[in-house]
Amino acid sequence: MSNKNLNRFIFLLSIVGIGISSYLSFTYITHSPIACFDTGCEIVRKSRYAYPLGIPMPIIGFFGNLIIFLLSFFYTLENTPKKQVAKLLFFTSFIGFLVVVFLTAAEIFDIKAYCIWCLGSAFTMTLTFISSVYLYVKNRKS
């Protein structure tokens, strides 16, 4: 896959991540029900992991995905230092990946409930991280 297509994929994944986190942020802020297949989403929202430092976790996810979105956009610009932007994409997505691994483990081992939106977000961030690793490696070689 070319660097251009790989970056497009990361860009699209960030839009999906922004969509998921925007919806969940809205439900957290308004305390409205989360559209879910069962009660897992509500159980996860009521857990101690849902509001680190009093901030709704989806808002943190929104800003993480927004940073990836902006970096991916900057990567497309003509005079952008591609290696540095690819490196920033790698580190940002790595942090996001660590967060979703931790939160998914919390769902499995501590909360014992699953939120389909959270799992979708984790899947999206995992794909973003894998893609950013590939983009970073390809840019280091060029």
Side-chain angles (χ1 to χ4, degrees):
M1 185 180 283
S2 72
N3 288 359
K4 187 176 187 177
N5 286 336
L6 197 53
N7 185 59
R8 284 180 181 163
F9 185 58
I10 292 169
F11 186 78
L12 291 174
L13 287 169
S14 70
I15 292 171
V16 171
I18 288 170
I20 292 171
S21 58
S22 294
Y23 168 69
L24 289 176
S25 293
F26 173 78
T27 64
Y28 272 54
I29 292 167
T30 62
H31 303 288
S32 56
I34 302 170
C36 197
F37 294 120
D38 59 14
T39 59
C41 296
E42 293 299 333
I43 294 169
V44 170
R45 177 165 55 178
K46 292 176 184 171
S47 76
R48 62 187 171 133
Y49 303 98
Y51 293 89
L53 303 173
I55 303 166
M57 184 53 77
I59 291 177
I60 296 168
F62 174 82
F63 283 107
N65 280 292
L66 181 63
I67 291 168
I68 292 169
F69 173 86
L70 292 172
L71 287 170
S72 183
F73 173 75
F74 290 141
Y75 187 87
T76 65
L77 300 178
E78 187 85 17
N79 296 321
T80 300
K82 306 275 191 239
K83 287 182 183 182
Q84 287 80 358
V85 174
K87 189 178 200 178
L88 288 170
L89 271 168
F90 165 74
F91 284 117
T92 304
S93 65
F94 178 64
I95 292 167
F97 176 70
L98 290 178
V99 169
V100 298
V101 166
F102 172 78
L103 292 173
T104 303
E107 284 184 333
I108 295 168
F109 299 111
D110 188 24
I111 304 169
K112 297 185 182 3
Y114 307 96
C115 169
I116 193 69
W117 294 100
C118 301
L119 295 175
S121 179
F123 180 72
T124 303
M125 186 54 72
T126 300
L127 287 177
T128 301
F129 173 63
I130 292 168
S131 301
S132 72
V133 168
Y134 191 44
L135 183 67
Y136 175 61
V137 169
K138 286 182 74 173
N139 273 276
R140 284 188 63 201
K141 291 180 180 178
S142 60

